[in-house]
């Protein structure tokens, strides 16, 4: 089985977003640091005297995992990666809370074993606030 080069794959997927048209006065910038595994697609410009600035996509490659930090696409970067052959366990939805990630079907993003253990078996509980000095629950 051929091993995927995640750097090449991410660059290939992001290439399609560098040519999109945003609007007059606004441009799309592709920012890549292959050495450190950081990739951004940014909107930069002006529209009606208001600055347009923000990230459409932010991806980091950490170890053997692709971390999607921001995904403002309609298609979904995670889905495109899966269709390209990346196992879901190698994709981390970094924009999701670490507690929620375990339920997404994608990687949890534990960078070490202690972090992985602390997110397993997390029990969430909610306490109903009481009225002061009455012991009765709020409606």
């Amino acid at each position: 089985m051929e091993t995927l080069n995640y750097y090449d794959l991410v660059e290939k997927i992001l290439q399609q977003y560098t040519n999109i048209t945003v609007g007059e006065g606004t441009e799309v910038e592709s920012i890549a640091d292959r050495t450190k595994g950081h990739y951004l697609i940014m909107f930069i410009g002006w529209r009606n005297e208001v600055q347009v600035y923000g990230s459409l996509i932010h991806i980091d490659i950490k170890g053997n995992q692709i971390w999607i930090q921001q995904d403002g696409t309609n298609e979904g970067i995670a889905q495109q990666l899966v269709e390209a052959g990346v196992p879901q366990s190698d994709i981390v939805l970094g924009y999701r809370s670490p507690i929620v990630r375990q339920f997404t079907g994608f990687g949890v993003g534990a960078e070490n074993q202690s972090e992985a253990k602390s997110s397993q078996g997390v029990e969430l509980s909610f306490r109903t606030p009481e009225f002061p000095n009455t012991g009765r629950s709020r409606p």
Side-chain angles (χ1 to χ4, degrees):
M1 181 180 211
E2 183 181 331
T3 303
L4 291 172
N5 181 320
Y6 288 169
Y7 296 90
D8 290 342
L9 182 59
V10 166
E11 289 172 10
K12 180 180 177 185
I13 288 174
L14 294 184
Q15 181 61 39
Q16 66 183 313
Y17 296 98
T18 61
N19 299 321
I20 62 175
T21 304
V22 181
E24 191 171 329
T26 304
E27 58 188 53
V28 176
E29 286 189 5
S30 174
I31 303 167
D33 180 351
R34 187 179 179 111
T35 305
K36 295 185 179 177
H38 303 299
Y39 297 91
L40 290 161
I41 302 292
M42 303 287 298
F43 291 120
I44 300 167
W46 292 88
R47 183 179 304 139
N48 299 327
E49 301 298 318
V50 176
Q51 184 184 31
V52 176
Y53 180 86
S55 67
L56 174 64
I57 303 167
H58 178 179
I59 295 176
D60 293 321
I61 299 177
K62 299 179 182 183
N64 295 349
Q65 294 182 313
I66 300 171
W67 285 64
I68 303 171
Q69 307 290 11
Q70 169 69 24
D71 184 357
T73 68
N74 291 329
E75 303 84 14
I77 296 296
Q79 184 59 37
Q80 292 179 55
L81 290 167
V82 168
E83 289 171 3
V86 178
Q88 285 184 283
S89 60
D90 286 359
I91 302 168
V92 178
L93 305 179
Y95 55 85
R96 298 276 187 218
S97 156
I99 291 174
V100 173
R101 287 184 209 144
Q102 61 187 322
F103 305 111
T104 64
F106 291 94
V108 296
E111 294 180 16
N112 58 48
Q113 278 307 102
S114 63
E115 187 177 326
K117 288 178 185 173
S118 68
S119 69
Q120 294 176 356
V122 172
E123 184 177 317
L124 301 176
S125 63
F126 299 93
R127 191 175 141 254
T128 305
E130 297 177 353
F131 286 114
N133 303 323
T134 65
R136 293 189 348 233
S137 295
R138 293 184 185 197

